[in-house]
C-alpha cells in the first residue's frame, strides 16, 4: 500500500475543514439546525488547528506564535460572545465562520504558491480547498451583511443561474490551469500563454 505524504494529509485535512465550514454555515441558516451548524463549523476549525499542529514541523512552524494566536483569538471571541446581544449572535457566528473559510482559502493559496515538490493529489486538494474556503468566506460575509441590515434587498436578474454557473465553470477552469501549470513547472499560467 503506497504511503501518503505529510503534505497530502495536511491539504486533505484543510479540505475537510473547509467543507465543514460550508456545511456548518448551511445548517446555521435554520433555527432547527443552527446548533449543529455551529458544532460542524467548530469541528472544522478544530481539525484545521490540529492538522497545523500535527503536520507542520520546525523550522517552518513556530509553536509559541500559534499558541499565542489561539489564546488571543480565544479571549477576543469569549469577550465578544459575552457582550453581543443574543439577537445579534447569528451575524457574529456568520462572521466568525467566514473567517474560518477565509483562513482555509489563504492556507490553500500559500500551499499552492510556496514552491517545492508537489504531486497531483496535493495540488488538487489545495485547489479545491481554496475554492471551498473562498465560497465559505464570501457566503458568510453576505449572510453577515444581510443579518446586520447592511444588505436590505436581494439582487436578482434574468439569467442569474446561468451567470452563476459560468462563474463556477470559470473557477474550475482556473483551478485546472493552476494544477496543470504547477505540474508542468510553469508558474503564473506561462504554459498556457506560450506560443505553439
Amino acid at each position: 500500500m503506497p504511503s501518503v505524504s505529510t503534505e497530502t494529509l495536511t491539504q486533505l485535512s484543510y479540505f475537510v475543514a473547509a467543507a465543514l465550514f460550508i456545511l456548518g454555515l448551511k445548517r446555521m441558516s435554520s433555527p432547527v439546525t443552527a446548533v449543529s451548524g455551529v458544532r460542524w463549523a467548530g469541528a472544522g476549525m478544530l481539525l484545521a488547528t490540529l492538522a497545523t499542529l500535527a503536520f507542520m514541523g520546525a523550522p517552518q512552524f513556530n509553536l509559541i506564535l500559534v499558541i499565542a494566536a489561539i489564546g488571543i483569538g480565544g479571549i477576543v471571541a469569549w469577550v465578544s460572545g459575552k457582550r453581543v446581544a443574543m439577537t445579534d449572535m447569528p451575524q457574529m457566528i456568520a462572521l466568525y465562520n467566514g473567517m474560518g473559510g477565509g483562513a482555509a482559502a489563504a492556507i490553500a493559496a500559500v500551499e499552492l504558491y510556496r514552491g517545492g515538490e508537489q504531486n497531483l493529489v496535493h495540488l488538487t486538494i489545495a485547489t479545491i480547498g481554496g475554492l471551498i474556503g473562498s465560497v465559505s468566506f464570501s457566503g458568510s460575509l453576505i449572510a453577515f451583511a444581510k443579518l446586520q441590515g447592511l444588505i436590505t434587498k436581494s439582487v436578482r436578474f434574468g439569467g442569474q443561474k446561468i451567470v452563476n454557473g459560468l462563474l463556477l465553470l470559470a473557477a474550475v477552469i482556473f483551478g485546472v490551469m493552476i494544477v496543470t501549470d504547477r505540474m508542468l513547472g510553469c508558474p503564473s499560467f506561462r504554459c498556457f500563454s506560450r506560443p505553439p
Side-chain angles (χ1 to χ4, degrees):
M1 182 176 176
S3 60
V4 180
S5 72
T6 301
E7 288 184 356
T8 301
L9 284 174
T10 303
Q11 288 305 314
L12 188 58
S13 299
Y14 292 150
F15 170 74
V16 173
L20 286 170
F21 292 142
I22 288 182
L23 291 172
L25 180 63
K26 174 69 177 168
R27 295 185 69 79
M28 279 187 255
S29 64
S30 167
V32 177
T33 58
V35 173
S36 64
V38 171
R39 289 180 182 148
W40 284 45
M45 185 57 73
L46 178 63
L47 175 62
T49 303
L50 292 178
T52 302
L53 293 172
F55 297 130
M56 296 295 186
Q60 304 168 350
F61 176 67
N62 192 324
L63 185 60
I64 295 173
L65 287 177
V66 170
I67 292 172
I70 291 172
I72 292 168
I75 291 169
V76 170
W78 178 267
V79 171
S80 61
K82 289 293 185 182
R83 290 188 176 179
V84 171
M86 283 303 294
T87 53
D88 294 334
M89 197 61 72
Q91 48 264 51
M92 188 183 80
I93 292 172
L95 188 61
Y96 283 174
N97 190 68
M99 295 303 105
I107 291 168
V110 168
E111 287 295 310
L112 283 171
Y113 290 103
R114 71 182 173 85
E117 290 293 324
Q118 294 172 319
N119 59 37
L120 179 62
V121 174
H122 175 241
L123 289 170
T124 303
I125 291 173
T127 303
I128 295 172
L131 179 60
I132 292 174
S134 300
V135 170
S136 175
F137 177 69
S138 59
S140 296
L141 290 185
I142 291 170
F144 166 78
K146 285 185 174 181
L147 290 166
Q148 192 69 19
L150 302 175
I151 297 177
T152 56
K153 61 179 182 177
S154 298
V155 177
R156 300 184 187 277
F157 54 88
Q160 185 172 5
K161 289 185 179 180
I162 295 172
V163 172
N164 289 342
L166 290 174
L167 289 172
L168 175 61
L169 181 63
V172 171
I173 289 171
F174 277 117
V176 170
M177 290 173 69
I178 289 170
V179 172
T180 305
D181 270 15
R182 290 305 306 273
M183 291 303 295
L184 296 175
C186 308
S188 303
F189 304 117
R190 290 192 183 125
C191 287
F192 288 92
S193 59
R194 283 179 184 167

